[in-house]
């Protein structure tokens, strides 16, 4: 059974930090891209960070220098370290996997249930 389960969301003050985790259960090899998307009310879905199967990473301009994506293949866990958080980072964050190779956000990828991040003073 394919499963992505996020955790680590919560409420934090501006300037604070959070680390999101995603427990991955996909019964195939680990040669696929993974990433984090976020969705906030009234805003379009945004791809926040991607880690490719070869370890390369990429980030949205809005989080570059503040967020770090990483992947622990031994423990089947994806992480998103978020520092210097801003109110505009408030959103539901989703862990996404692309085992079929059609591209993250392409409609054939796999999504977790999401974890809420709220940045407010």
């Amino acid at each position: 059974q394919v499963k992505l389960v996020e955790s680590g969301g919560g409420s934090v003050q501006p300037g604070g930090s959070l680390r999101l985790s995603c427990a991955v259960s996909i019964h195939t090899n680990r040669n696929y891209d993974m990433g984090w998307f976020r969705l906030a009310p009234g805003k379009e879905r945004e791809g926040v960070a991607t880690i490719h199967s070869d370890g390369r990473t990429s980030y949205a301009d809005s989080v570059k220098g503040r967020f770090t994506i990483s992947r622990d293949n031994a423990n089947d866990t994806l992480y998103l370290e978020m520092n210097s958080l801003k109110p505009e980072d408030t959103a539901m964050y989703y862990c996404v996997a692309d085992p079929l190779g059609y591209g993250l956000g392409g409609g054939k990828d796999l999504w977790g249930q999401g974890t809420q991040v709220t940045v407010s003073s």
Side-chain angles (χ1 to χ4, degrees):
Q1 181 179 358
V2 173
K3 203 171 182 182
L4 301 173
V5 180
E6 302 96 333
S7 61
S11 295
V12 64
Q13 291 187 341
S17 300
L18 284 173
R19 186 174 81 156
L20 305 184
S21 300
C22 174
V24 180
S25 174
I26 299 178
H27 297 297
T28 182
N29 61 62
R30 298 187 177 92
N31 294 327
Y32 51 86
D33 296 351
M34 293 198 68
W36 292 91
F37 279 68
R38 66 185 180 186
L39 184 61
K43 296 184 180 180
E44 290 189 359
R45 184 183 71 179
E46 181 181 22
V48 174
T50 298
I51 185 164
H52 299 278
S53 57
D54 62 3
R56 290 177 298 115
T57 58
S58 58
Y59 298 90
D61 287 342
S62 57
V63 306
K64 205 170 289 184
R66 299 187 298 121
F67 290 12
T68 303
I69 188 171
S70 62
R71 185 172 180 175
D72 182 348
N73 285 332
N75 292 301
D76 290 320
T77 305
L78 181 73
Y79 299 100
L80 184 69
E81 186 76 35
M82 305 186 295
N83 298 312
S84 302
L85 282 162
K86 305 175 181 179
E88 51 263 45
D89 294 318
T90 296
M92 184 73 80
Y93 284 72
Y94 296 90
C95 171
V96 186
D98 181 35
L100 299 180
Y102 287 93
L104 292 173
K108 293 188 182 295
D109 45 8
L110 304 172
W111 289 60
Q113 84 289 350
T115 185
Q116 178 67 36
V117 171
T118 302
V119 184
S120 174
S121 56

